[in-house]
Amino acid sequence: EVQLVESGGGLVQAGGSLRLSCAASEFTSDYYAIGWFRQAPGKEREEVSCISSSDGSTFYTDSVKGRFTLSADNTKNTVYLQMNSLKPEDTAVYYCAILGGSYHLHLGCGGPYDYWGQGTQVTVSS
């Protein structure tokens, strides 16, 4: 079973930055989509950003465009979410998830995702 371990969350002031990491154990599928999702208290989980290993396409939800950057280090089986200019509304538990298959991501992250990490808390104070 694939294991995903997130790290990098924490408390930061508005305007600050954090970098989340998601380390994945070996994934048997040749191609996959891997992404970040978040869930704030009292709200539904939403997709934040994702990347396709088959064509490198990426998706960012509108509220994070220009502030968040997703990147991948395939040598370490790790994806990163660099979050800049953080806002209080970014406060949520952030989850990493992976989905086997070949996808072109431009309208969303697709799914349902097969494996999920345990989540990491991001809190942005005003």
Side-chain angles (χ1 to χ4, degrees), residues 61-123:
T61 194
D62 286 346
S63 62
V64 308
K65 285 180 181 177
R67 300 189 298 121
F68 290 11
T69 302
L70 182 66
S71 62
D73 184 340
N74 293 327
T75 65
K76 298 181 178 179
N77 287 340
T78 300
V79 292
Y80 305 96
L81 186 68
Q82 178 66 44
M83 306 186 296
N84 298 328
S85 302
L86 282 162
K87 303 175 181 180
E89 51 263 44
D90 294 318
T91 295
V93 178
Y94 284 69
Y95 298 92
C96 176
I98 194 166
L99 171 64
S102 179
Y103 304 94
H104 179 68
L105 305 175
H106 65 290
L107 296 179
C109 292
Y113 277 59
D114 297 319
Y115 300 98
W116 293 80
Q118 81 287 353
T120 185
Q121 177 71 47
V122 172
T123 302

Side-chain angles (χ1 to χ4, degrees), residues 49-62:
S49 180
C50 46
I51 186 168
S52 169
S53 70
S54 61
D55 66 0
S57 58
T58 57
F59 168 83
Y60 294 92
T61 194
D62 286 346

